[in-house]
Amino acid sequence: RGRARTWDWPDNAVEVAPERLAEEPVDAVVLQRPHELELAERWLGGRRPGRDVPAVYVEHNTPRGDVPDTRHPLADRSDIPLVHVTHFNELFWDSGRAPTTVIEHGVVDPGYRYTGQIERAGVVINEPLRRGRITGTDLLPDFSRTAALDLFGMGVAGAPAALGLPTERLRAYDDLPQQRLHTELARRRAYLHPIRWTSLGLSLIEAMLLGMPVLALAATEAREAIPPDAGLATTRVDELHRALRDLLNDPHRAAEQGRAARRAAQRRYSTDRFLHDWDRLLQEVTR
C-alpha cells in the first residue's frame, strides 16, 4: 500500500508505484513475508534480493507448526540476513544457514499517563476470538472472576457474548484510535497480558511506557521484558490471580510498579536504540 494513510510520513519517505521500481536505484530491500522474495524480483525488473541487490528479512513472528523444529523459509540461504525481533524467536526458529541477528522492538513513548483510578484490569488483544488460545482468550473468563476486565483491540466487540460474560465482568472497546486507547488503558489499575504464543506484544511495552504495572504469562519473550519490580511474569496462573488481586487492593503499590515498568521499557525499547541498530545493519548489508 505504499505510504499507508494511517501515519504522517516525513518527506524523505517517498512512495513509488510498483511499475516504476524496475528503473529505481534501490540500495536495499527489506523483506517481511516469504512471497516477497519473488515479488521484489518481479517489481525490480529481475534483480534478485540478496544476489543482485542487498536484502534483509525481518521475522516478526514466533515459529508455527512443528516447534521447535520449525524451519524458516530462508534457512537454505546464506545471502540474506535474518533479523529476529526477539531473542526467543532467534532461539526457536531453525534458521539453517541464514546469518541471524536480533533487533528488539523500538516503541514510540506515549508518555506517562497512568492514573489507575478504575479498579479493573486492562487487556489488549486484536481478534481475540479468531486467535483463541494463541492470545489466551480462553483464560479471560477465569481472570474475570478475580478482576473485572476491559478488553481493547480490533475485533473485540463480540468477545463478551462469545465467552458468556456479562459486561460488568468483561467490557469491550473495539478499535479505539491509538491516542484514546493509551489514555483509557492508563486509567485501569493494571495491565494483564494473557498471550501464550506471540513474539512480544507491542501493547505490553506500551502499557509499561504508560506507567502501568504489568502481569503476563511467562511465555516467549515476556519474561525478559518484565523486571521483578515492574509486575509479574509467570507460567503459574494462580500466581497471576494473586498478584492481580493485590494490585487492585493496593493503588500505591500498583503505581510504584508502574513507574518501574516505565523505566525498564524506556531503557530497553527506545526508538533511539532501535534506529541505531537498524542504521548499523543497513550500513553493513549495503557496504
Side-chain angles (χ1 to χ4, degrees), residues 123-129 140 150-163 170-176:
V123 184
V124 179
I125 303 175
N126 289 326
E127 300 184 82
L129 298 180
L140 296 182
D150 288 338
L151 178 62
F152 301 86
M154 295 183 289
V156 303
L163 296 172
L170 179 65
R171 295 191 302 221
Y173 297 83
D174 196 74
D175 202 15
L176 296 184

PDB file of all heavy atoms in Angstrom, residues 123-129 140 150-163 170-176:
ATOM      1  N   VAL A 123      -6.811  -5.202  29.163  1.00  0.00           N
ATOM      2  CA  VAL A 123      -6.251  -6.255  28.310  1.00  0.00           C
ATOM      3  C   VAL A 123      -6.327  -5.749  26.872  1.00  0.00           C
ATOM      4  O   VAL A 123      -7.337  -5.148  26.482  1.00  0.00           O
ATOM      5  CB  VAL A 123      -7.053  -7.567  28.430  1.00  0.00           C
ATOM      6  CG1 VAL A 123      -6.398  -8.688  27.619  1.00  0.00           C
ATOM      7  CG2 VAL A 123      -7.225  -7.988  29.886  1.00  0.00           C
ATOM      8  N   VAL A 124      -5.272  -5.964  26.088  1.00  0.00           N
ATOM      9  CA  VAL A 124      -5.297  -5.582  24.674  1.00  0.00           C
ATOM     10  C   VAL A 124      -5.021  -6.828  23.832  1.00  0.00           C
ATOM     11  O   VAL A 124      -3.949  -7.436  23.938  1.00  0.00           O
ATOM     12  CB  VAL A 124      -4.247  -4.501  24.348  1.00  0.00           C
ATOM     13  CG1 VAL A 124      -4.293  -4.150  22.856  1.00  0.00           C
ATOM     14  CG2 VAL A 124      -4.484  -3.252  25.190  1.00  0.00           C
ATOM     15  N   ILE A 125      -6.003  -7.204  23.019  1.00  0.00           N
ATOM     16  CA  ILE A 125      -5.858  -8.351  22.111  1.00  0.00           C
ATOM     17  C   ILE A 125      -6.559  -8.005  20.802  1.00  0.00           C
ATOM     18  O   ILE A 125      -7.732  -7.620  20.812  1.00  0.00           O
ATOM     19  CB  ILE A 125      -6.492  -9.635  22.677  1.00  0.00           C
ATOM     20  CG1 ILE A 125      -5.897 -10.000  24.033  1.00  0.00           C
ATOM     21  CG2 ILE A 125      -6.308 -10.798  21.694  1.00  0.00           C
ATOM     22  CD1 ILE A 125      -6.586 -11.198  24.692  1.00  0.00           C
ATOM     23  N   ASN A 126      -5.871  -8.130  19.701  1.00  0.00           N
ATOM     24  CA  ASN A 126      -6.506  -7.992  18.398  1.00  0.00           C
ATOM     25  C   ASN A 126      -7.068  -9.329  17.952  1.00  0.00           C
ATOM     26  O   ASN A 126      -6.400 -10.358  18.050  1.00  0.00           O
ATOM     27  CB  ASN A 126      -5.506  -7.473  17.360  1.00  0.00           C
ATOM     28  CG  ASN A 126      -5.152  -6.019  17.579  1.00  0.00           C
ATOM     29  OD1 ASN A 126      -5.987  -5.225  18.009  1.00  0.00           O
ATOM     30  ND2 ASN A 126      -3.925  -5.648  17.278  1.00  0.00           N
ATOM     31  N   GLU A 127      -8.301  -9.323  17.490  1.00  0.00           N
ATOM     32  CA  GLU A 127      -9.002 -10.517  17.007  1.00  0.00           C
ATOM     33  C   GLU A 127      -8.935 -11.674  18.014  1.00  0.00           C
ATOM     34  O   GLU A 127      -8.465 -12.767  17.705  1.00  0.00           O
ATOM     35  CB  GLU A 127      -8.436 -10.957  15.665  1.00  0.00           C
ATOM     36  CG  GLU A 127      -8.565  -9.897  14.573  1.00  0.00           C
ATOM     37  CD  GLU A 127      -8.094 -10.405  13.233  1.00  0.00           C
ATOM     38  OE1 GLU A 127      -8.878 -11.091  12.562  1.00  0.00           O
ATOM     39  OE2 GLU A 127      -6.921 -10.131  12.887  1.00  0.00           O
ATOM     40  N   PRO A 128      -9.415 -11.465  19.221  1.00  0.00           N
ATOM     41  CA  PRO A 128      -9.286 -12.494  20.258  1.00  0.00           C
ATOM     42  C   PRO A 128     -10.059 -13.774  19.970  1.00  0.00           C
ATOM     43  O   PRO A 128      -9.622 -14.864  20.369  1.00  0.00           O
ATOM     44  CB  PRO A 128      -9.831 -11.794  21.514  1.00  0.00           C
ATOM     45  CG  PRO A 128     -10.744 -10.730  20.984  1.00  0.00           C
ATOM     46  CD  PRO A 128     -10.106 -10.262  19.713  1.00  0.00           C
ATOM     47  N   LEU A 129     -11.194 -13.674  19.284  1.00  0.00           N
ATOM     48  CA  LEU A 129     -11.981 -14.881  19.038  1.00  0.00           C
ATOM     49  C   LEU A 129     -11.353 -15.737  17.946  1.00  0.00           C
ATOM     50  O   LEU A 129     -11.334 -16.968  18.044  1.00  0.00           O
ATOM     51  CB  LEU A 129     -13.412 -14.499  18.670  1.00  0.00           C
ATOM     52  CG  LEU A 129     -14.175 -13.736  19.769  1.00  0.00           C
ATOM     53  CD1 LEU A 129     -15.585 -13.396  19.302  1.00  0.00           C
ATOM     54  CD2 LEU A 129     -14.214 -14.550  21.057  1.00  0.00           C
ATOM     55  N   LEU A 140      -9.622 -15.598  29.790  1.00  0.00           N
ATOM     56  CA  LEU A 140     -10.290 -14.392  30.265  1.00  0.00           C
ATOM     57  C   LEU A 140     -11.455 -14.678  31.223  1.00  0.00           C
ATOM     58  O   LEU A 140     -11.601 -13.959  32.227  1.00  0.00           O
ATOM     59  CB  LEU A 140     -10.764 -13.549  29.078  1.00  0.00           C
ATOM     60  CG  LEU A 140      -9.657 -12.987  28.174  1.00  0.00           C
ATOM     61  CD1 LEU A 140     -10.254 -12.124  27.071  1.00  0.00           C
ATOM     62  CD2 LEU A 140      -8.636 -12.189  28.982  1.00  0.00           C
ATOM     63  N   ASP A 150     -11.386  -4.992  31.130  1.00  0.00           N
ATOM     64  CA  ASP A 150     -11.728  -4.146  29.993  1.00  0.00           C
ATOM     65  C   ASP A 150     -10.835  -4.560  28.834  1.00  0.00           C
ATOM     66  O   ASP A 150      -9.603  -4.449  28.916  1.00  0.00           O
ATOM     67  CB  ASP A 150     -11.532  -2.670  30.330  1.00  0.00           C
ATOM     68  CG  ASP A 150     -12.604  -2.155  31.286  1.00  0.00           C
ATOM     69  OD1 ASP A 150     -13.684  -2.770  31.354  1.00  0.00           O
ATOM     70  OD2 ASP A 150     -12.356  -1.139  31.962  1.00  0.00           O
ATOM     71  N   LEU A 151     -11.463  -5.041  27.756  1.00  0.00           N
ATOM     72  CA  LEU A 151     -10.743  -5.599  26.612  1.00  0.00           C
ATOM     73  C   LEU A 151     -10.716  -4.594  25.471  1.00  0.00           C
ATOM     74  O   LEU A 151     -11.756  -4.151  24.989  1.00  0.00           O
ATOM     75  CB  LEU A 151     -11.427  -6.899  26.161  1.00  0.00           C
ATOM     76  CG  LEU A 151     -10.856  -7.614  24.936  1.00  0.00           C
ATOM     77  CD1 LEU A 151      -9.412  -8.056  25.174  1.00  0.00           C
ATOM     78  CD2 LEU A 151     -11.723  -8.822  24.579  1.00  0.00           C
ATOM     79  N   PHE A 152      -9.506  -4.244  25.043  1.00  0.00           N
ATOM     80  CA  PHE A 152      -9.297  -3.295  23.952  1.00  0.00           C
ATOM     81  C   PHE A 152      -8.683  -4.037  22.767  1.00  0.00           C
ATOM     82  O   PHE A 152      -7.964  -5.020  22.940  1.00  0.00           O
ATOM     83  CB  PHE A 152      -8.350  -2.173  24.376  1.00  0.00           C
ATOM     84  CG  PHE A 152      -8.824  -1.370  25.562  1.00  0.00           C
ATOM     85  CD1 PHE A 152      -8.562  -1.793  26.856  1.00  0.00           C
ATOM     86  CD2 PHE A 152      -9.523  -0.184  25.368  1.00  0.00           C
ATOM     87  CE1 PHE A 152      -8.977  -1.052  27.950  1.00  0.00           C
ATOM     88  CE2 PHE A 152      -9.948   0.562  26.457  1.00  0.00           C
ATOM     89  CZ  PHE A 152      -9.686   0.132  27.750  1.00  0.00           C
ATOM     90  N   GLY A 153      -8.939  -3.521  21.555  1.00  0.00           N
ATOM     91  CA  GLY A 153      -8.301  -4.103  20.378  1.00  0.00           C
ATOM     92  C   GLY A 153      -9.246  -4.160  19.193  1.00  0.00           C
ATOM     93  O   GLY A 153     -10.413  -3.758  19.266  1.00  0.00           O
ATOM     94  N   MET A 154      -8.739  -4.700  18.092  1.00  0.00           N
ATOM     95  CA  MET A 154      -9.555  -4.867  16.893  1.00  0.00           C
ATOM     96  C   MET A 154     -10.348  -6.160  16.989  1.00  0.00           C
ATOM     97  O   MET A 154      -9.827  -7.191  17.400  1.00  0.00           O
ATOM     98  CB  MET A 154      -8.657  -4.876  15.649  1.00  0.00           C
ATOM     99  CG  MET A 154      -7.945  -3.560  15.389  1.00  0.00           C
ATOM    100  SD  MET A 154      -6.956  -3.574  13.871  1.00  0.00           S
ATOM    101  CE  MET A 154      -5.611  -4.654  14.342  1.00  0.00           C
ATOM    102  N   GLY A 155     -11.617  -6.095  16.612  1.00  0.00           N
ATOM    103  CA  GLY A 155     -12.448  -7.285  16.588  1.00  0.00           C
ATOM    104  C   GLY A 155     -12.794  -7.835  17.955  1.00  0.00           C
ATOM    105  O   GLY A 155     -12.931  -9.054  18.115  1.00  0.00           O
ATOM    106  N   VAL A 156     -12.963  -6.960  18.941  1.00  0.00           N
ATOM    107  CA  VAL A 156     -13.253  -7.427  20.301  1.00  0.00           C
ATOM    108  C   VAL A 156     -14.726  -7.301  20.667  1.00  0.00           C
ATOM    109  O   VAL A 156     -15.147  -7.784  21.724  1.00  0.00           O
ATOM    110  CB  VAL A 156     -12.400  -6.674  21.349  1.00  0.00           C
ATOM    111  CG1 VAL A 156     -10.921  -6.823  21.054  1.00  0.00           C
ATOM    112  CG2 VAL A 156     -12.786  -5.202  21.416  1.00  0.00           C
ATOM    113  N   ALA A 157     -15.533  -6.669  19.825  1.00  0.00           N
ATOM    114  CA  ALA A 157     -16.915  -6.340  20.197  1.00  0.00           C
ATOM    115  C   ALA A 157     -17.708  -7.571  20.609  1.00  0.00           C
ATOM    116  O   ALA A 157     -18.519  -7.518  21.536  1.00  0.00           O
ATOM    117  CB  ALA A 157     -17.604  -5.608  19.048  1.00  0.00           C
ATOM    118  N   GLY A 158     -17.510  -8.686  19.928  1.00  0.00           N
ATOM    119  CA  GLY A 158     -18.309  -9.874  20.214  1.00  0.00           C
ATOM    120  C   GLY A 158     -17.750 -10.774  21.297  1.00  0.00           C
ATOM    121  O   GLY A 158     -18.346 -11.814  21.613  1.00  0.00           O
ATOM    122  N   ALA A 159     -16.634 -10.386  21.905  1.00  0.00           N
ATOM    123  CA  ALA A 159     -15.969 -11.268  22.867  1.00  0.00           C
ATOM    124  C   ALA A 159     -16.792 -11.545  24.126  1.00  0.00           C
ATOM    125  O   ALA A 159     -16.897 -12.698  24.555  1.00  0.00           O
ATOM    126  CB  ALA A 159     -14.593 -10.718  23.223  1.00  0.00           C
ATOM    127  N   PRO A 160     -17.400 -10.528  24.776  1.00  0.00           N
ATOM    128  CA  PRO A 160     -18.160 -10.831  25.990  1.00  0.00           C
ATOM    129  C   PRO A 160     -19.268 -11.858  25.772  1.00  0.00           C
ATOM    130  O   PRO A 160     -19.400 -12.812  26.550  1.00  0.00           O
ATOM    131  CB  PRO A 160     -18.730  -9.460  26.383  1.00  0.00           C
ATOM    132  CG  PRO A 160     -17.756  -8.477  25.829  1.00  0.00           C
ATOM    133  CD  PRO A 160     -17.324  -9.074  24.526  1.00  0.00           C
ATOM    134  N   ALA A 161     -20.032 -11.680  24.693  1.00  0.00           N
ATOM    135  CA  ALA A 161     -21.115 -12.628  24.422  1.00  0.00           C
ATOM    136  C   ALA A 161     -20.564 -14.012  24.092  1.00  0.00           C
ATOM    137  O   ALA A 161     -21.074 -15.031  24.568  1.00  0.00           O
ATOM    138  CB  ALA A 161     -21.979 -12.108  23.276  1.00  0.00           C
ATOM    139  N   ALA A 162     -19.503 -14.066  23.270  1.00  0.00           N
ATOM    140  CA  ALA A 162     -18.942 -15.359  22.877  1.00  0.00           C
ATOM    141  C   ALA A 162     -18.369 -16.118  24.070  1.00  0.00           C
ATOM    142  O   ALA A 162     -18.404 -17.359  24.106  1.00  0.00           O
ATOM    143  CB  ALA A 162     -17.862 -15.155  21.815  1.00  0.00           C
ATOM    144  N   LEU A 163     -17.841 -15.380  25.050  1.00  0.00           N
ATOM    145  CA  LEU A 163     -17.263 -16.011  26.230  1.00  0.00           C
ATOM    146  C   LEU A 163     -18.274 -16.192  27.354  1.00  0.00           C
ATOM    147  O   LEU A 163     -17.938 -16.713  28.417  1.00  0.00           O
ATOM    148  CB  LEU A 163     -16.081 -15.180  26.735  1.00  0.00           C
ATOM    149  CG  LEU A 163     -14.880 -15.077  25.780  1.00  0.00           C
ATOM    150  CD1 LEU A 163     -13.859 -14.078  26.312  1.00  0.00           C
ATOM    151  CD2 LEU A 163     -14.234 -16.442  25.571  1.00  0.00           C
ATOM    152  N   LEU A 170     -16.664  -8.223  31.846  1.00  0.00           N
ATOM    153  CA  LEU A 170     -15.821  -8.013  30.658  1.00  0.00           C
ATOM    154  C   LEU A 170     -16.484  -6.984  29.758  1.00  0.00           C
ATOM    155  O   LEU A 170     -17.550  -7.229  29.200  1.00  0.00           O
ATOM    156  CB  LEU A 170     -15.613  -9.320  29.888  1.00  0.00           C
ATOM    157  CG  LEU A 170     -14.769  -9.205  28.606  1.00  0.00           C
ATOM    158  CD1 LEU A 170     -13.334  -8.803  28.927  1.00  0.00           C
ATOM    159  CD2 LEU A 170     -14.781 -10.518  27.828  1.00  0.00           C
ATOM    160  N   ARG A 171     -15.837  -5.820  29.616  1.00  0.00           N
ATOM    161  CA  ARG A 171     -16.308  -4.786  28.712  1.00  0.00           C
ATOM    162  C   ARG A 171     -15.380  -4.738  27.500  1.00  0.00           C
ATOM    163  O   ARG A 171     -14.164  -4.879  27.641  1.00  0.00           O
ATOM    164  CB  ARG A 171     -16.327  -3.422  29.411  1.00  0.00           C
ATOM    165  CG  ARG A 171     -17.327  -3.344  30.551  1.00  0.00           C
ATOM    166  CD  ARG A 171     -17.532  -1.924  31.060  1.00  0.00           C
ATOM    167  NE  ARG A 171     -16.316  -1.287  31.528  1.00  0.00           N
ATOM    168  CZ  ARG A 171     -16.259  -0.535  32.633  1.00  0.00           C
ATOM    169  NH1 ARG A 171     -17.335  -0.352  33.375  1.00  0.00           N
ATOM    170  NH2 ARG A 171     -15.117   0.026  32.994  1.00  0.00           N
ATOM    171  N   ALA A 172     -15.942  -4.501  26.334  1.00  0.00           N
ATOM    172  CA  ALA A 172     -15.160  -4.477  25.098  1.00  0.00           C
ATOM    173  C   ALA A 172     -15.123  -3.074  24.521  1.00  0.00           C
ATOM    174  O   ALA A 172     -16.153  -2.390  24.449  1.00  0.00           O
ATOM    175  CB  ALA A 172     -15.756  -5.447  24.082  1.00  0.00           C
ATOM    176  N   TYR A 173     -13.936  -2.646  24.117  1.00  0.00           N
ATOM    177  CA  TYR A 173     -13.721  -1.343  23.482  1.00  0.00           C
ATOM    178  C   TYR A 173     -13.061  -1.609  22.132  1.00  0.00           C
ATOM    179  O   TYR A 173     -11.861  -1.831  22.044  1.00  0.00           O
ATOM    180  CB  TYR A 173     -12.842  -0.456  24.360  1.00  0.00           C
ATOM    181  CG  TYR A 173     -13.467  -0.119  25.698  1.00  0.00           C
ATOM    182  CD1 TYR A 173     -13.379  -1.014  26.764  1.00  0.00           C
ATOM    183  CD2 TYR A 173     -14.142   1.082  25.887  1.00  0.00           C
ATOM    184  CE1 TYR A 173     -13.949  -0.716  27.997  1.00  0.00           C
ATOM    185  CE2 TYR A 173     -14.712   1.394  27.112  1.00  0.00           C
ATOM    186  CZ  TYR A 173     -14.618   0.486  28.155  1.00  0.00           C
ATOM    187  OH  TYR A 173     -15.187   0.787  29.366  1.00  0.00           O
ATOM    188  N   ASP A 174     -13.876  -1.560  21.076  1.00  0.00           N
ATOM    189  CA  ASP A 174     -13.416  -2.032  19.779  1.00  0.00           C
ATOM    190  C   ASP A 174     -12.677  -0.949  18.990  1.00  0.00           C
ATOM    191  O   ASP A 174     -13.224   0.124  18.716  1.00  0.00           O
ATOM    192  CB  ASP A 174     -14.614  -2.529  18.959  1.00  0.00           C
ATOM    193  CG  ASP A 174     -14.175  -3.390  17.784  1.00  0.00           C
ATOM    194  OD1 ASP A 174     -13.783  -4.537  18.015  1.00  0.00           O
ATOM    195  OD2 ASP A 174     -14.203  -2.894  16.635  1.00  0.00           O
ATOM    196  N   ASP A 175     -11.419  -1.242  18.669  1.00  0.00           N
ATOM    197  CA  ASP A 175     -10.623  -0.477  17.704  1.00  0.00           C
ATOM    198  C   ASP A 175     -10.608   1.030  17.990  1.00  0.00           C
ATOM    199  O   ASP A 175     -10.888   1.848  17.120  1.00  0.00           O
ATOM    200  CB  ASP A 175     -11.145  -0.745  16.287  1.00  0.00           C
ATOM    201  CG  ASP A 175     -10.099  -0.443  15.219  1.00  0.00           C
ATOM    202  OD1 ASP A 175      -8.916  -0.299  15.579  1.00  0.00           O
ATOM    203  OD2 ASP A 175     -10.467  -0.344  14.038  1.00  0.00           O
ATOM    204  N   LEU A 176     -10.233   1.401  19.203  1.00  0.00           N
ATOM    205  CA  LEU A 176     -10.118   2.817  19.538  1.00  0.00           C
ATOM    206  C   LEU A 176      -8.915   3.430  18.833  1.00  0.00           C
ATOM    207  O   LEU A 176      -7.902   2.760  18.621  1.00  0.00           O
ATOM    208  CB  LEU A 176      -9.931   2.996  21.053  1.00  0.00           C
ATOM    209  CG  LEU A 176     -11.070   2.548  21.984  1.00  0.00           C
ATOM    210  CD1 LEU A 176     -10.712   2.904  23.421  1.00  0.00           C
ATOM    211  CD2 LEU A 176     -12.387   3.151  21.576  1.00  0.00           C
TER     212      LEU A 176
END
